[in-house]
């Protein structure tokens, strides 16, 4: 038998309304979870989003998917959703996504999206990466913004979980020298550029992958 997993104090940094599913699953691994949201999500943009005339609509987060479903007007075109949580949020609006790429990144979506894609709408965060918009010459509509939070006192733990580049930036601002688990390549790049030591990256790049990465680090 191998060594027993270490019991860690794991800091979970997602926005308050997103934190609990991840926190509960990390607790189920036998770790202590410090719930410390480092970002807040705030709706922005138009009250209504007209989907008429589009061939595809692209969504990259569950929060953005819910905001789009709330504001959408007209018949839905084909939908591409990055990640299972985003796809589930679209399905909750009784819309079935046509494409959920195997790799949960903008690059992964681009690799699988049929071409020519026609007229495309990218709905996402105000400061989202514009790779999809640039590569597809897509229209972009901002649906929410991410605001950094600064907890006082800062959280205490053994490991931090970073589920977005925004959370990585916010954590770096705290000046804590803790190892981190990242949800994917963009978050890893942002974290490492800010001096954060990434000890594991989720694979796949979603909640399941984050939980598996934490379990791996604890061995």
């Amino acid at each position: 038998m191998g060594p027993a997993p270490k019991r860690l104090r794991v800091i979970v940094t997602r926005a308050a309304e997103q934190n609990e599913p991840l926190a509960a699953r990390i607790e189920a691994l036998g770790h202590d979870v410090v719930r410390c949201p480092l970002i807040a999500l705030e709706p922005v943009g138009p009250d209504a989003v007209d989907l008429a005339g589009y061939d595809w609509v692209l969504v990259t987060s569950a929060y953005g998917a819910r905001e789009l479903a709330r504001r959408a007007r007209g018949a839905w075109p084909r939908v591409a959703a990055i990640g299972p949580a985003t796809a589930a949020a679209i399905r909750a609006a009784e819309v079935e996504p046509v494409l959920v790429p195997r790799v949960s990144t903008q690059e992964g979506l681009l690799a699988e999206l049929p071409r020519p894609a026609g007229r495309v709408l990218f709905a996402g965060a105000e400061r989202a990466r514009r790779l999809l918009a640039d590569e597809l010459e897509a229209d972009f509509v901002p649906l929410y913004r991410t605001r950094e939070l600064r907890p006082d006192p800062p959280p205490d733990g053994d490991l931090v979980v970073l589920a977005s580049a925004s959370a990585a930036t916010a954590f770096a601002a705290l000046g804590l020298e803790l190892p981190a688990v990242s949800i994917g390549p963009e978050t890893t790049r942002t974290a490492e550029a800010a001096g954060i030591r990434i000890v594991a990256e989720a694979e796949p790049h979603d909640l399941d992958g984050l939980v598996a990465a934490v379990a791996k680090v604890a061995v």
Side-chain angles (χ1 to χ4, degrees):
M1 295 180 60
K6 296 173 288 187
R7 186 182 183 99
L8 303 176
R9 284 174 54 81
V10 181
I11 303 168
V12 178
T13 61
R14 303 186 82 187
E17 62 267 32
Q18 299 176 324
N19 232 354
E20 197 53 38
L22 178 58
R25 289 187 59 179
I26 292 174
E27 285 177 333
L29 295 176
H31 302 303
D32 299 316
V33 171
V34 179
R35 292 163 171 81
C36 184
L38 291 183
I39 58 173
L41 305 179
E42 303 173 342
V44 298
D47 292 332
V49 178
D50 186 2
L51 302 183
Y54 287 104
D55 299 291
W56 284 91
V57 60
L58 314 180
V59 285
T60 58
S61 72
Y63 188 89
R66 288 191 291 269
E67 283 298 311
L68 180 60
R70 183 173 67 83
R71 305 184 215 181
R73 303 292 184 269
W76 285 75
R78 289 171 291 180
V79 177
I82 292 182
T86 306
I90 285 291
R91 291 188 182 104
E94 299 184 348
V95 177
E96 184 63 32
V98 174
L99 174 61
V100 183
R102 290 183 293 273
V103 177
S104 299
T105 62
Q106 291 194 25
E107 290 82 357
L109 193 157
L110 281 174
E112 295 188 38
L113 191 73
R115 307 293 182 89
R119 188 172 177 225
V120 178
L121 176 67
F122 172 27
E126 187 176 57
R127 295 173 62 186
R129 293 174 65 206
R130 299 302 174 91
L131 177 65
L132 291 172
D134 293 343
E135 289 290 326
L136 300 170
E137 297 184 351
D139 293 334
F140 174 74
V141 59
L143 296 179
Y144 66 99
R145 69 165 54 101
T146 301
R147 178 169 56 86
E148 291 183 20
L149 303 178
R150 189 68 65 88
D152 186 19
D156 180 34
D158 304 304
L159 179 73
V160 62
V161 178
L162 302 174
S164 67
S166 298
T169 300
F171 182 72
L174 301 180
L176 302 176
E177 295 185 2
L178 293 177
V181 168
S182 160
I183 196 169
E186 181 63 21
T187 301
T188 296
R189 283 192 291 268
T190 300
E192 291 180 339
I196 299 170
R197 181 166 63 95
I198 298 296
V199 293
E201 185 176 285
E203 182 57 49
H205 308 313
D206 56 21
L207 188 146
D208 289 343
L210 280 174
V211 174
V214 171
K216 180 180 178 181
V217 169
V219 173

